[in-house]
Amino acid sequence: MNRKYRILVTGGAGYIGSHTIIELLKNDSVEVISADNHSNSSTGVYKRIERISGRKLTHYAIDLCDFKSAEQLFSANPGIDGIIHFAAFKSVPESVADPLKYYSNNINSLINILDLAKQFAVNKIIFSSSCSVYGNITKLPVTEETPMGKTESPYAFTKVIGERILEDFIQSNPGAKAIALRYFNPVGAHPSALIGELPIHAPTSLVPIITQTAIGKLKSFNVHGTDYKTRDGSCIRDYVHVCDIARAHVLALDFLEKMIAPFDIINLGTGTGISVLEAIRAFENVSGVKLSYKIGPKRPGDVEAIYSDCSKVARVLKWKAEYSLDDMMRTAWKWEQNLAKPE
């Protein structure tokens, strides 16, 4: 094609956003524009993306809740063909402690993006959703038709609201199409160890807590509950490698071209439930590091057990997870170790 296919990635300096940009840049006909306010990411991520991809990247340090700043981005980059919307706060415990922060940021930023998508005739949207929308469910594995239960955190409810806003927007704008990707638990890092999960604040996700403990940044950590009704009493999750997640976004964006329905929802997971204690043992096995942790009480907002039925994503996107649990832990550990090295 004469003109590059222009994609806006919001939250592009973040964990999943940065890996997805690398996947997008594998295609020379794709141009990526990133927007991120760096509330939980570093501007240095872009240099690492460029080092891995060998390509330059246009990026803006803006808050998408600021409509005028977002509008200026769209005006400066005419002809955006698609949007992958990651930008959102994502910590379950923080959302429980400060729900208004989450409702304000996650919902307002999405509304601004959709308003501008309409204004600038951008008709392809991929929305970063979450398996947390299902709440505590009684039947596993989870399919896209599983009824949503009561969401266990304000973060999860922002994703429920976001999906509804997106679906209503698509229905009211003929020609526009969108897919909400409900991912389970993204973990791991790029095999180069140049990018990975790098929380600016204290980590709340299991794997960065594990790696920061192993490297000595944290003295120990708590396992939040071992009295759940699971095989070892700890929560069960469907851990999926971030590079597999990134690849699915590119496939979803391509699929929008031929998708018949204007809106769809697809789960992204491995289909295997792993307990917190099993994840800890997997890390210890691949790293050779014995972790220091304590058993603590259950954490508000946590779901007991959840893992995905992957038949739809395999059928629709021809996607399946390629990285194993050991791969996830190995790459996460390599990334953590690389962070300790001087530039």
Side-chain angles (χ1 to χ4, degrees), residues 113-187:
I113 282 292
L114 295 179
D115 197 346
L116 291 165
K118 182 176 182 179
Q119 181 179 328
F120 288 87
V122 184
N123 288 326
K124 298 181 181 67
I125 301 168
I126 304 297
F127 177 63
S128 169
S129 191
S130 167
C131 68
S132 62
V133 300
Y134 295 110
N136 270 306
I137 37 81
T138 57
K139 184 179 179 181
L140 291 168
V142 173
T143 74
E144 290 78 1
E145 286 72 43
T146 296
M148 291 184 189
K150 179 183 179 295
T151 51
E152 294 296 316
S153 69
Y155 161 73
F157 195 50
T158 66
K159 293 302 181 180
V160 173
I161 296 169
E163 287 187 10
R164 178 59 187 269
I165 290 171
L166 180 59
E167 183 175 13
D168 289 346
F169 170 81
I170 293 298
Q171 296 294 347
S172 67
N173 287 276
K177 293 181 179 181
I179 295 175
L181 294 175
R182 291 175 177 168
Y183 12 102
F184 282 63
N185 290 72
V187 296

Side-chain angles (χ1 to χ4, degrees), residues 208 211-212 215 217 331-340:
T211 60
Q212 288 191 19
I215 205 78
K217 292 179 183 177
T331 55
W333 181 225
K334 185 180 177 184
W335 158 244
E336 187 69 62
Q337 291 173 304
N338 199 42
L339 281 173

Side-chain angles (χ1 to χ4, degrees), residues 292-306:
S292 174
Y293 62 91
K294 301 174 183 177
I295 305 301
K298 293 178 179 177
R299 184 173 61 176
D302 279 343
V303 168
E304 179 172 277
I306 191 165

Side-chain angles (χ1 to χ4, degrees), residues 55-228:
R55 295 181 59 187
K56 289 292 181 181
L57 183 65
T58 302
H59 52 90
Y60 295 82
I62 62 170
D63 187 340
L64 295 172
C65 290
D66 180 349
F67 184 83
K68 287 186 177 179
S69 295
E71 187 177 36
Q72 288 170 359
L73 181 154
F74 277 78
S75 296
N77 298 275
I80 292 173
D81 297 284
I83 300 168
I84 304 180
H85 183 56
F86 292 107
F89 295 145
K90 64 174 187 176
S91 167
V92 167
E94 184 185 44
S95 78
V96 173
D98 193 354
L100 294 184
K101 175 182 178 179
Y102 273 66
Y103 290 129
S104 176
N105 181 79
N106 293 7
I107 296 169
N108 288 332
S109 61
L110 173 62
I111 289 172
N112 284 348
I113 282 292
L114 295 179
D115 197 346
L116 291 165
K118 182 176 182 179
Q119 181 179 328
F120 288 87
V122 184
N123 288 326
K124 298 181 181 67
I125 301 168
I126 304 297
F127 177 63
S128 169
S129 191
S130 167
C131 68
S132 62
V133 300
Y134 295 110
N136 270 306
I137 37 81
T138 57
K139 184 179 179 181
L140 291 168
V142 173
T143 74
E144 290 78 1
E145 286 72 43
T146 296
M148 291 184 189
K150 179 183 179 295
T151 51
E152 294 296 316
S153 69
Y155 161 73
F157 195 50
T158 66
K159 293 302 181 180
V160 173
I161 296 169
E163 287 187 10
R164 178 59 187 269
I165 290 171
L166 180 59
E167 183 175 13
D168 289 346
F169 170 81
I170 293 298
Q171 296 294 347
S172 67
N173 287 276
K177 293 181 179 181
I179 295 175
L181 294 175
R182 291 175 177 168
Y183 12 102
F184 282 63
N185 290 72
V187 296
H190 192 269
S192 67
L194 289 174
I195 63 168
E197 190 165 8
L198 182 61
I200 298 299
H201 310 293
T204 58
S205 297
L206 177 64
V207 174
I209 288 173
I210 284 175
T211 60
Q212 288 191 19
T213 302
I215 205 78
K217 292 179 183 177
L218 300 175
K219 290 183 179 180
S220 65
F221 64 93
N222 287 328
V223 173
H224 299 290
T226 54
D227 54 348
Y228 287 100

